[in-house]
Amino acid sequence: MSYPLGSGSSVGQCQYMTNKIRVSDPQELLALIPYQLGFQPENSLVVMSLRGDRHRVGLIARCELDELTSETGQDLAHFLIEQCLKDGARRVFLAFYFDHQEPLSADTCLSEEQTVTILQAFMAYRVLMKQVTGQIEPDSIWVVGPHSYFNWAAYDSPGCDEHCGRQCDERCDLDCAFGCPLHTPDGAIKLRSVSEFETTQVSANMVLNGLTYRKRREDLGMVARAPKAERDKAGASYRRHQRRLQQAREQGGIATWERQTLDLWQEILNDLGYQDHMASGCDGGLCRRETWSATGPSITPARIGRIASGMSSRRVRDAILLSMTPDGMTTARQFLASELDTCCCGPNNTAICTSCEHPKADSHGESLVNDALSKIVSPARGVPPTTCLTEIAQEVLETVIAHTTQTLTAPQHALLCLLAWWKGNGAVARRHNELALKFDEDYRLANLFATVLDAGLAPGWARRQKT
């Protein structure tokens, strides 16, 4: 029985990587799932979109099995498949993950409840299939436990090889040398060990590229706290810089305060080796953060406190966001020089009001922002992120989170959400977004991204690669 992807191979393109891996075994796709999600799924349904004639890996969506068996489970199953259709799927790969207390056995592979869960999702899938006949085909359904996995088709013997143990009788004069991929010679369901995932091409490439995944979804976005002494120093620096911010507001020097914070952000990146790395020749998405060394002072608690304070300003946060786009620091500085998003409520039109509803208009500043962001969100202009820049920015943002009171970390989590989403990792993006909203439920950038993530919207470069 051959893997039903057509002419022998599919193309799995990991969204973290620039190279493509051609695979022809479903275990390769199952090995890819935790790397793409960022964590090992448990008690979940994972739906994978396979795009175009060459079956490129596209959208990977996940839901809890408890959600699937709820009153709205049918609607959820429909939604997941519809998202695959919007993603340009020609076929769909389904994987059910169960958190078994005991290893799967050939005699009792699934409990009655687990079987019903799969059948409910499959029936919802078939209902939708009737509506989109000719546009999408069911590809493969797999059941994965912590120790073993098997193909759901093993419950449906008509698709088996003619010499399967479920069909051969004692008079069969063939020795069934090749065997059945679904059943053992005595007709029991054939189980495969999940340890096979570690020996796949996909797993080898991920390890080679320095990629890992967390054991649980709850671990996504979590940053280890720095020692208390360092947090205290960073907190003192934060408070000092907040006092300077208040003085700048009162004395009309807010523009200088903003520029100094952005200057510090750039200094930290350069001290970590970014400038020397760029000067030596950056090869874009192929280079990695661990290949360079720091050239200046470390990220001290005093500098961390200043950055955390600076990012409490929406304009400074947006400038740092723009510095991570392909247009880089030049656009970030031009944005701060513009009057876009400044407030006209305070003395001499210089104060920053966090709830201002009538900011000044600036067509030049607006054009700068729209042009920079289009290279992230637009299918026509969107480009993949430069790996080295996003990794070093992530390192700095996580360091700030580690040293800052959690209730003040919404800006950093929101920017980490953007970086993860731009890479194509929706699970990590959603987790950072959840943490941003946990610490500030009214944070506007996080609420904006909640809408983007709920809609299943992919970054521009990913939407352009649907075929």
Side-chain angles (χ1 to χ4, degrees):
M1 181 177 177
S2 62
Y3 180 52
L5 281 183
S7 59
S9 68
S10 64
V11 179
Q13 183 176 5
C14 177
Q15 294 174 348
Y16 288 97
M17 303 163 61
T18 56
N19 60 306
K20 296 179 181 178
I21 311 167
R22 295 181 182 274
V23 299
S24 58
D25 193 305
Q27 73 186 53
E28 300 280 355
L29 297 179
L30 291 169
L32 175 66
I33 287 173
Y35 286 102
Q36 287 291 76
L37 291 179
F39 64 97
Q40 177 62 48
E42 293 181 347
N43 292 321
S44 304
L45 165 63
V46 176
V47 180
M48 181 186 295
S49 162
L50 300 176
R51 301 167 172 170
D53 294 335
R54 302 177 69 186
H55 306 112
R56 288 180 170 85
V57 173
L59 171 75
I60 298 180
R62 184 196 71 93
C63 73
E64 300 283 345
L65 292 182
D66 290 344
E67 297 174 330
L68 201 62
T69 55
S70 68
E71 293 181 359
T72 58
Q74 291 263 333
D75 293 336
L76 178 58
H78 278 245
F79 174 77
L80 292 176
I81 304 304
E82 285 170 350
Q83 291 303 307
C84 288
L85 286 170
K86 291 178 181 178
D87 190 54
R90 293 285 293 276
R91 300 192 180 211
V92 172
F93 186 92
L94 303 178
F96 290 85
Y97 289 83
F98 291 104
D99 184 18
H100 294 275
Q101 297 302 316
E102 300 294 336
L104 291 173
S105 69
D107 297 326
T108 56
C109 288
L110 294 173
S111 68
E112 181 179 353
E113 180 183 0
Q114 292 163 345
T115 304
V116 170
T117 299
I118 295 179
L119 286 173
Q120 272 193 290
F122 188 61
M123 291 304 294
Y125 182 81
R126 292 188 65 180
V127 168
L128 191 64
M129 283 279 296
K130 293 180 181 179
Q131 301 173 13
V132 293
T133 302
Q135 295 185 43
I136 188 169
E137 299 176 18
D139 197 294
S140 198
I141 301 177
W142 291 82
V143 180
V144 185
H147 305 286
S148 54
Y149 70 104
F150 65 92
N151 193 316
W152 172 252
Y155 281 99
D156 187 16
S157 59
C160 293
D161 181 274
E162 62 179 324
H163 301 297
C164 170
R166 286 196 174 187
Q167 298 182 23
C168 288
D169 57 32
E170 296 178 359
R171 293 171 294 177
C172 178
D173 56 0
L174 299 177
D175 59 6
C176 300
F178 296 101
C180 171
L182 301 179
H183 301 112
T184 60
D186 61 1
I189 292 175
K190 181 179 290 186
L191 300 177
R192 300 171 67 172
S193 172
V194 296
S195 62
E196 294 178 0
F197 301 156
E198 299 175 3
T199 60
T200 60
Q201 288 186 69
V202 166
S203 183
N205 273 271
M206 296 299 174
V207 172
L208 184 62
N209 281 270
L211 299 173
T212 60
Y213 58 85
R214 303 293 182 96
K215 294 298 183 183
R216 304 180 308 152
R217 181 181 182 276
E218 291 75 15
D219 296 334
L220 292 177
M222 299 303 294
V223 178
R225 305 291 288 158
K228 185 177 183 304
E230 291 192 13
R231 298 202 308 271
D232 289 344
K233 292 177 183 178
S237 174
Y238 176 91
R239 292 187 291 274
R240 286 196 301 271
H241 208 52
Q242 285 289 290
R243 289 194 291 270
R244 290 172 188 164
L245 170 60
Q246 184 59 37
Q247 293 172 358
R249 286 173 173 166
E250 294 170 353
Q251 299 171 10
I254 193 67
T256 300
W257 183 88
E258 291 173 344
R259 287 196 303 272
Q260 288 174 343
T261 306
L262 186 62
D263 287 342
L264 178 60
W265 172 264
Q266 185 173 24
E267 287 174 14
I268 290 175
L269 296 186
N270 291 340
D271 288 343
L272 291 173
Y274 182 65
Q275 187 175 38
D276 288 350
H277 165 70
M278 295 299 291
S280 65
C282 169
D283 49 5
L286 298 177
C287 64
R288 301 205 60 81
R289 168 73 183 90
E290 63 264 20
T291 61
W292 8 309
S293 57
T295 58
S298 62
I299 315 179
T300 63
R303 301 171 98 191
I304 292 168
R306 286 182 60 192
I307 287 294
S309 173
M311 291 184 70
S312 67
S313 160
R314 190 172 65 207
R315 276 173 56 83
V316 172
R317 181 211 65 197
D318 288 348
I320 289 176
L321 187 161
L322 292 172
S323 75
M324 298 186 293
T325 69
D327 290 348
M329 195 64 70
T330 300
T331 295
R333 295 191 182 285
Q334 290 175 341
F335 166 73
L336 286 185
S338 74
E339 293 190 335
L340 181 66
D341 209 25
T342 59
C343 171
C344 50
C345 315
N348 302 317
N349 295 342
T350 57
I352 291 180
C353 173
T354 57
S355 59
C356 179
E357 296 179 357
H358 44 87
K360 289 183 179 179
D362 186 317
S363 58
H364 176 62
E366 186 174 359
S367 175
L368 286 171
V369 173
N370 290 342
D371 188 64
L373 293 183
S374 71
K375 295 177 182 176
I376 298 178
V377 302
S378 169
R381 304 190 64 203
V383 298
T386 301
T387 308
C388 55
L389 177 56
T390 56
E391 286 191 351
I392 194 172
Q394 177 179 328
E395 180 181 331
V396 177
L397 291 170
E398 289 180 345
T399 302
V400 174
I401 291 173
H403 288 77
T404 307
T405 302
Q406 288 187 323
T407 54
L408 302 175
T409 59
Q412 292 80 42
H413 280 295
L415 290 184
L416 287 169
C417 169
L418 169 68
L419 291 178
W421 178 79
W422 190 11
K423 292 178 181 179
N425 195 323
V428 175
R430 183 173 289 279
R431 184 61 180 146
H432 277 299
N433 202 63
E434 289 172 353
L435 291 170
L437 291 174
K438 174 183 177 181
F439 301 132
D440 186 349
E441 63 182 15
D442 297 321
Y443 202 69
R444 293 202 298 177
L445 182 59
N447 279 297
L448 171 64
F449 258 98
T451 303
V452 170
L453 294 168
D454 287 343
L457 187 66
W461 67 267
R463 279 181 282 161
R464 191 174 62 248
Q465 295 181 4
K466 287 184 180 180
T467 57

